[in-house]
Structure formats: C-alpha cells, structure tokens
Amino acid sequence: MSTPHRPPHRAPRRDSALWSALAAVVTTVSVTAGDAVARVYPYGPRHRSVNDLGNQFVPFHAHLWDLLHGRAAGGLLFNWQSGYGTSFLPDFGTYLTSPFAPLVGLFPRAEIDLAVYVVSVLKTAAAAAAMVWLLRTLRRGPGWAAAVLGASYALCGWSVIEAAYNPMWLDGLIAFPLLCLAGEWALRGRRPVAAPVVVGLCWTANFYTAYMATLGAALVLLVRVVLTRETVRDRLRVAARAARHVVLGVALAAPVLVPLFLSSRQAYPGWTRQFAPVSWPDLFARALPATYSFSSPAVFVGTGTLLLAAALPLHRGVPVRTRWWWTGLAVAVALSFQWTPTHLAWHVFATPNGSPYRQTFVLAGILVIAAWTAAADGWPDLRALAAGAALLAAAAAWAARSQLANGTALLL
C-alpha cells in the first residue's frame, strides 16, 4: 500500500521558514556582537541616544509606554508631557505605529533606551527573515545561500549606520521584501486578501519608507513581469492586480495616514534644501565597508554579495534576458540616486533636511536579489567571477580617489 501523497509546497515552506529563522539569528548575533565590540550601550559606556534618537524617538516611545500602562498625561490625541502640550496623533502615526513599537511596554519605564534598542534589533532580524522568504519565493536555490544573502541585506551599511538610529526607518527595511512578495502574489494571481493587508501594514508601520519601498517593489515587479509574461494583455492584467492591492492597502492605512497628512500641511514650514548629488568616487566608496558620510548612500551589502551581483552579467548559467534585466535595474536605481528629478521622486518630491539618500535600502535589496539570481541556478563559473572581481576592483580604484575610502575599507 503506497503512502499518501503530500502536497509539494509544504516542504519548501517549512525550509524557507527554517532558513529565514537562521538569517534572523545571524543578523541578531552580528548586530549585538558588533555593538559589544564597539562598547555601545547596552554593552558599554558609549551611548546611542544622541541627536534625534535621544531627543525625539526615545521620548516618543516613553510616552507610548505611559499610554500602554495608563500613566500618560493626555492620550492618543494630545500629549501634555511635551513642552506646554502638543498634538500627539501625527507623531504617533509617524513614529509609533509599527507592530514592534508596543513591545516597549514589556520593559521597565526606566529602561526605555534598552527597549528601543531591542525593538531595533528585532526589526533588523525581521528584515533578514523577510528577504530570505522573498528570495526563496522568487526562485529555488541553496537555502544557506538565501540565509546569508538575507542577513547581508539586513546588515547593509544603510541599516547599521543610519537606520539603527532612526527606528522607524527599519520598518522600511522590512517593507521592501514584503511588498516585493505582495508583487509576486499579484504576478501569480494568488492571495488577493493577504496582499492588500501586507501593503496596509507596511504603510501603517512607517508611510515614509513604505513609499520608497513601494517604488522599489514596483520596479522589481516590472522586471518580473517582463521576464515571465509575454503578451501585453497578461502584463497589464498583473499591473492592474498590483495596483488594486496597493490602493486597497493604502486605504486600509488611511486612519493613520489622513491625520498625518492633514497635520503636515498645517505644520510650520521647515528648511528648504537643494539636492546636490554626491561625487561618484564618494558613491563608490560607500560600497566599501568601514566608511561613513552622513550625506552619501551607505550601500555596502557584503563583498560576497557584491561579487555575485557583479558576476551576474556574464553568468552563462542564467538566461541572457534575466541577467541583463536585473543588472540593468540595479544600475538604473543607482543612477536615479544622482539625478534631481528621480531623487525628488524617491523622497515624496521634497529634499529631506537630513540624509538625501534615505532610499538606499531599496538598492541594497535589488543587489541582493541580483546576487541570488546569480547563485540560485548554479554558481558563476571562473570567467564570470573573474569579470565580477575585475569590476569590483575598478570600482574600488575609483573609490580610492575619495577621502571616505580609508586603507581599512580598501583592505576589507
């Protein structure tokens, strides 16, 4: 008597969950070990809560803690604990609507700094897990390689240098692979209910980075549609499904978004800045480890990931259209960082007062997808790897002209 046939999709799902969990563990260990070596709080005397983190984000989470425990002076609409009192709903929608934010209520009030740190680490780990799930959905391949690439995405330079001190930005790091996954559902005509819910959750968690992640996911879906659908009719059908998911998802987030947008229109005007693109040597320098500059894109995702992405154009095991479309997408997104109209499109048509490269996590994610495309169907041969290494060497040589590229960065 033969054994019952098991649905073929169950094992891959279980495998993806295991590899996602591994990526989350690797990411958590890496972040905490790095902070411990650097003697950063809570592992040493160097404190994280400076500038916006200490003056805005931690106090907002402290007020959320008071709300959760019934001790707040005010409520969700108004906060009497800031200055002479101020409206709180817009701040809540901007900084505290992440599903991770209520976790601060599990910590003592006196340890709110530690609570925000733990939540930030958990978000970073969740981004790694989400990216692994996306990679395994796009195409099958070595699970351990997907785990490594997922961790490299979560530990990209943008994440550990910039977003770590802006906890709400880390929701965008999670949103990009989740929104790409929703795009994949639209491509396959699956999960018509779950997709809008995912979109709504991402936009509720942090609309600013979710907007950037949505643009990036749309570009990824564009490549997927071109590579997998041949007729214009089929492509338009996928685009319509994806657009419907986005509209419904944003509508689900409307209770948070509408008060936020109305308050932003009535807010006191801030500074107006003109965008000045960073020099190309500086841009390539930020693709190296151990470099820092507040006003340039921290795109480093690991040397191995960059090597795989650079080797993709000559990887003969991957169809020509596939390798050139993914390579072209990565190049086009990088170029869009340097052109004022596309820079404005990435940033909701207003140059931010802080870092002008807040969309860098999207490029990091696309590079990881390109690296996975190069690894999933078989490793690149020596010819492709040599070409990729030569390309990285040329980029490093160009980066050496930048003052940001120190000897340690070039050696690593």
Side-chain angles (χ1 to χ4, degrees), residues 36-59:
V37 170
R39 302 284 292 160
V40 173
Y41 177 86
Y43 309 101
R46 298 178 179 174
H47 218 283
R48 303 170 67 250
S49 293
V50 296
N51 295 335
D52 290 350
L53 181 63
N55 296 322
Q56 296 183 62
F57 310 144
V58 169

Side-chain angles (χ1 to χ4, degrees), residues 70-394:
R71 302 182 188 179
L76 211 66
L77 298 179
F78 205 82
N79 175 13
W80 285 107
Q81 294 173 246
S82 295
Y84 294 105
T86 183
S87 59
F88 183 64
L89 191 59
D91 292 332
F92 177 78
T94 303
Y95 302 107
L96 300 172
T97 45
S98 169
F100 292 87
L103 295 177
V104 300
L106 303 177
F107 292 77
R109 177 68 161 76
E111 298 292 340
I112 199 68
D113 283 353
L114 176 62
V116 173
Y117 174 79
V118 171
V119 166
S120 299
V121 174
L122 289 176
K123 287 183 180 183
T124 310
M131 178 55 77
V132 173
W133 199 276
L134 170 65
L135 296 179
R136 300 272 291 171
T137 300
L138 290 175
R139 59 177 62 226
R140 294 300 170 194
W144 67 268
V148 171
L149 290 172
S152 74
Y153 166 73
L155 297 169
C156 68
W158 179 90
S159 172
V160 299
I161 293 177
E162 295 187 20
Y165 300 95
N166 296 272
M168 64 282 178
W169 289 4
L170 289 169
D171 291 292
L173 194 70
I174 303 170
F176 175 70
L178 288 182
L179 291 171
C180 288
L181 193 59
E184 196 67 15
W185 293 338
L187 179 70
R188 303 181 186 190
R190 299 178 57 207
R191 304 189 187 279
V193 175
V197 171
V198 167
V199 174
L201 184 64
C202 293
W203 276 74
T204 300
N206 183 249
F207 82 96
Y208 185 52
T209 51
Y211 165 82
M212 302 173 189
T214 302
L215 289 183
L219 294 174
V220 170
L221 179 59
L222 172 64
V223 173
R224 290 286 293 157
V225 167
V226 170
L227 293 176
T228 61
R229 299 293 183 271
E230 295 299 330
T231 67
V232 173
R233 186 173 184 177
D234 287 342
R235 292 173 178 178
L236 290 177
R237 186 179 294 116
V238 172
R241 275 199 298 263
R244 183 172 65 249
H245 293 166
V246 171
V247 170
L248 291 174
V250 173
L252 289 174
V256 170
L257 300 178
V258 170
L260 198 154
F261 292 155
L262 291 176
S263 65
S264 297
R265 291 177 58 187
Q266 298 171 5
Y268 190 84
W271 294 339
T272 299
R273 295 190 58 183
Q274 297 297 321
F275 173 64
V278 71
S279 69
W280 287 102
D282 283 357
L283 187 143
F284 283 112
R286 297 310 307 282
L288 303 175
T291 59
Y292 177 75
S293 167
F294 183 71
S295 298
S296 57
V299 76
F300 179 67
V301 287
T303 305
T305 302
L306 290 174
L307 177 59
L308 284 172
L312 177 60
L314 294 180
H315 186 354
R316 287 176 289 187
V318 178
V320 174
R321 289 182 69 222
T322 299
R323 49 175 127 146
W324 284 110
W325 266 98
W326 285 117
T327 301
L329 178 62
V331 172
V333 170
L335 291 175
S336 74
F337 287 12
Q338 298 289 85
W339 189 37
T340 299
T342 46
H343 155 81
L344 293 173
W346 281 112
H347 293 90
V348 203
F349 303 98
T351 297
N353 291 327
S355 169
Y357 291 95
R358 301 180 182 189
Q359 77 280 36
T360 302
F361 69 97
V362 173
L363 178 57
I366 290 172
L367 288 172
V368 166
I369 294 174
W372 175 244
T373 303
D377 292 335
W379 299 101
D381 57 20
L382 290 179
R383 171 175 166 269
L385 288 175
L391 183 60
L392 291 186

Side-chain angles (χ1 to χ4, degrees), residues 11-74:
R13 281 187 180 180
R14 186 161 52 248
D15 289 347
S16 295
L18 290 174
W19 293 120
S20 295
L22 176 61
V25 170
V26 170
T27 299
T28 301
V29 171
S30 300
V31 171
T32 53
D35 288 340
V37 170
R39 302 284 292 160
V40 173
Y41 177 86
Y43 309 101
R46 298 178 179 174
H47 218 283
R48 303 170 67 250
S49 293
V50 296
N51 295 335
D52 290 350
L53 181 63
N55 296 322
Q56 296 183 62
F57 310 144
V58 169
F60 284 142
H61 283 83
H63 187 67
L64 176 63
W65 191 98
D66 292 337
L67 283 172
L68 294 172
H69 290 268
R71 302 182 188 179

